[in-house]
Amino acid sequence: MTRLACDLTTLRRGACPSIAAPMQTGDGLLVRLRPVAAALAAKDLLALADLARENGNGLVEITARGNIQLRGLTATSVPHLAEGLAAAGIVPQTGVAIETPPLSGIDPSEIVDATPVAAALRQAIAGAALILAPKLAIVVDGGGVLSLADMIADVRLDAVATNDGVFWRLSLGGDRRTARAIALLCPQTVVAGAMTIMAALATAGPAARGRDLDAAALAAGFDTKPGMPVFLVPSHPVGVHRIGDHLLLGVAPAYGQVHADRLAALVRGLSACGVAEFRLAPHRTLLVRGLSENTLAAAQDIAEREGFWCTDNAPGRSISICAGAAGCASAGFDTHAAADAMVAHAAELLDGSVDVHISGCPKGCAHPARAAVTLCGTAAGIGLVLDGRAGDAPLATIPATELAPAIQRLGTLLRTRRAGDEKAKNLIDRTAPATFISAYQGQQ
Ligand code: SF4
C-alpha cells in the first residue's frame, strides 16, 4: 500500500488540517476529515474509533460543520492513519469544502437533492485547477428540515422553488439571510455561474474569501436578479426527527468530544437497536437512522450512557473544551470536570448567548477566537479571562484545587444578579470585571 507523504513543514494554524497537511496543536497533530460517503455504516465508525486509538490519543471530535477530527497524532502515525482509512474503505473528501444538508436526497421536504449539484461543482473546480483559499466554504442547500440556511459560507447556492421550476440563488459571504445576492440560476447554468465566482476568487488571490469580492460588480454580469431569500430557521439536528417515513435521532458527543471506546460502545449499542446508518451533521451531531418507535427510548439511554447529548438544549452546548489533563500533557487541569462543574453550578452562563471556553493551557486549541468567559490552565493556576482568548493575560488566577468552589461562586453571583429571564450576554455586559474577579477569588 502506498504510504502517504506527510509534509510537516506545511503545518500552521489557519489552514485546514487535512491528512496531507495535519495541524500542530499542543496535544500533537490534528487531522480533520469528512468522508465522501454521506451515510456511514457501523463498521466505518468502528474503524474510525480503532484508528483514533491506534494512531492518536483516542479522542474523536465532531466539529460545528459536521467534520471528524482526530487528535494526538504524530508524524509517524499520520501515514498509518491514511493507510487504515484506505483499508477500511473510508475515502476522505479533498479539495474545497462543499457542504450539503445531511439528509440530502432522503428528506421529502427538501426542494431538491443538492448532492448532484455539489458533485458537479466539485468536479468543475478540480478540473479548473484553481488556487483557492484553504478555508473557503461553499454551501449547496436544497432546503428541507435540516437545511443549511443558518450556516455561514463564502459562496452559497440555495434552491428556490418557483412556478417555473427549481432555480438556484447564488450569493456571497453569509448565511441564507445575510449573504449578498449575485444571481438566480437555472439548473443548466448553476455550475457555470458558480464557477464565475470561483474564477473571481482565484484572481483575487490565494487567500481571497467571499467577503473580499465586489458583489455588485459580479451581479452586473448576470441577467437574472434574485429576490429576497426565504429564511426558515432549520431544525437543530440534535434530538428526535420524524421526516416522512424516517425516524431519526441526532446525538452529539458532550462538548463535541468522545473517546474512541465510548464511540465504539455507542455504535454497537445503537446497531443492536436497529440503527443501520450514521450521518455527520452540523452542530457536532451524528444523525442515526433505522430506529423504530419501540427502540427509540433504548437508543436515547445508550447515547446518554456513553456521553452523548440527545436534546438540542443541553446546557453544555455553549462550552468549548480541549482534551485537558485526560489527553494532553500540556494541560493544567481536568477540563471535562470543570465543564461538568460549570453545567452543574453556573448554568446561567450557558443559555447559548455567549461562548464559554475551558482550556488546559494558553494555547487555546478548542476555541482560537475570543470567548465571553475563558478558564485557562497556566503555570500559576487557573486563570479567568473575560472577552478574550486563552492566551490573554488573566484577570485573576486561582489554584486548580480551588476551581470547583470558584465556579460555584460565579454561578451564585450570576443567579443573584440576573433579572427575570435575562440572557447571559446582557448579564455579563452589565457586570463589572472587578465583580467577577471578587467572586472567582472568593473575596465577596
Ligand atoms: S492543554 Fe488543551 S489547549 Fe493546551 S495544548 Fe493541550 S489540548 Fe491544546
Side-chain angles (χ1 to χ4, degrees):
M1 191 169 294
T2 308
R3 181 152 287 205
L4 179 119
C6 177
D7 180 4
L8 300 186
T9 62
T10 64
L11 307 183
R12 62 187 166 90
R13 280 204 168 277
C16 282
S18 63
I19 294 176
M23 185 171 74
Q24 185 70 56
T25 70
D27 57 344
L29 296 177
L30 178 152
V31 163
R32 184 179 305 153
L33 62 96
R34 168 74 69 90
V36 167
L40 300 173
K43 69 175 178 46
D44 299 325
L45 283 175
L46 291 173
L48 276 168
D50 286 344
L51 292 168
R53 215 183 288 110
E54 292 162 7
N55 300 294
N57 60 13
L59 285 179
V60 179
E61 297 176 334
I62 301 178
T63 71
R65 297 183 87 94
N67 295 311
I68 292 270
Q69 283 186 171
L70 306 182
R71 309 192 71 103
L73 295 115
T74 65
T76 308
S77 69
V78 170
H80 290 295
L81 169 64
E83 289 176 355
L85 289 170
I90 300 171
V91 181
Q93 289 182 13
T94 55
V96 174
I98 302 181
E99 322 273 357
T100 54
L103 301 181
S104 290
I106 62 170
D107 179 355
S109 69
E110 68 186 358
I111 297 170
V112 67
D113 180 3
T115 315
V117 171
L121 181 56
R122 190 185 306 282
Q123 194 173 6
I125 292 172
L130 300 173
I131 297 177
L132 298 167
K135 291 192 126 182
L136 196 76
I138 301 171
V139 159
V140 182
D141 189 356
V145 175
L146 299 182
S147 83
L148 302 184
D150 59 348
M151 182 178 276
I152 302 282
D154 293 281
V155 181
R156 297 189 62 89
L157 287 168
D158 289 288
V160 179
T162 76
N163 291 336
D164 297 323
V166 173
F167 286 76
W168 292 90
R169 183 180 188 272
L170 173 65
S171 59
L172 286 183
D175 62 22
R176 189 183 297 175
R177 179 166 33 198
T178 60
R180 294 168 298 157
I182 301 292
L184 193 63
L185 303 167
C186 67
Q188 292 74 28
T189 61
V190 60
V191 172
M195 286 304 292
T196 305
I197 305 300
M198 299 305 137
L201 286 163
T203 302
R209 307 290 298 271
R211 58 179 175 263
D212 301 321
L213 298 182
D214 182 341
L218 287 164
F222 290 91
D223 294 336
T224 52
K225 306 301 174 207
M228 284 302 291
V230 175
F231 184 91
L232 299 173
V233 178
S235 298
H236 196 292
V238 175
V240 178
H241 306 276
R242 293 177 176 83
I243 304 171
D245 295 335
H246 307 300
L247 172 62
L248 294 113
L249 176 64
V251 299
Y255 315 117
Q257 279 183 349
V258 64
H259 191 276
D261 293 347
R262 300 190 83 184
L263 175 62
L266 173 91
V267 170
R268 290 195 182 95
L270 293 185
S271 297
C273 292
V275 169
E277 182 184 294
F278 301 78
R279 289 176 177 247
L280 292 161
H283 299 282
R284 308 176 191 278
T285 306
L286 201 53
L287 281 167
V288 305
R289 195 154 76 113
L291 295 169
S292 68
E293 297 292 351
N294 290 337
T295 57
L296 177 60
Q300 289 169 310
D301 287 346
I302 290 166
E304 285 177 7
R305 188 186 70 209
E306 299 306 336
F308 284 73
W309 293 328
C310 299
T311 60
D312 67 352
N313 61 355
R317 71 196 186 285
S318 50
I319 305 178
S320 299
I321 64 171
C322 72
C328 179
S330 302
F333 66 116
D334 183 339
T335 51
H336 284 253
D340 286 344
M342 192 79 88
V343 169
H345 303 296
E348 285 70 19
L349 262 180
L350 308 177
D351 60 8
S353 66
V354 295
D355 289 337
V356 176
H357 182 193
I358 301 179
S359 184
C361 82
K363 190 145 188 155
C365 296
H367 195 287
R370 304 170 82 86
V373 177
T374 298
L375 299 178
C376 178
T378 71
I382 313 301
L384 170 69
V385 177
L386 297 179
D387 188 23
R389 297 180 172 83
D392 291 345
L395 295 173
T397 301
I398 58 172
T401 50
E402 299 294 318
L403 184 59
I407 289 172
Q408 289 188 28
R409 289 192 296 271
L410 286 176
T412 302
L413 168 75
L414 294 169
R415 261 190 306 286
T416 307
R417 291 179 61 83
R418 188 177 183 208
D421 56 0
E422 184 179 16
K423 288 287 184 191
K425 179 168 186 348
N426 197 58
L427 184 50
I428 292 171
D429 287 348
R430 68 177 182 80
T431 301
T435 306
F436 273 104
I437 293 168
S438 296
Y440 189 62
Q441 294 179 321
Q443 297 170 344
Q444 295 155 301

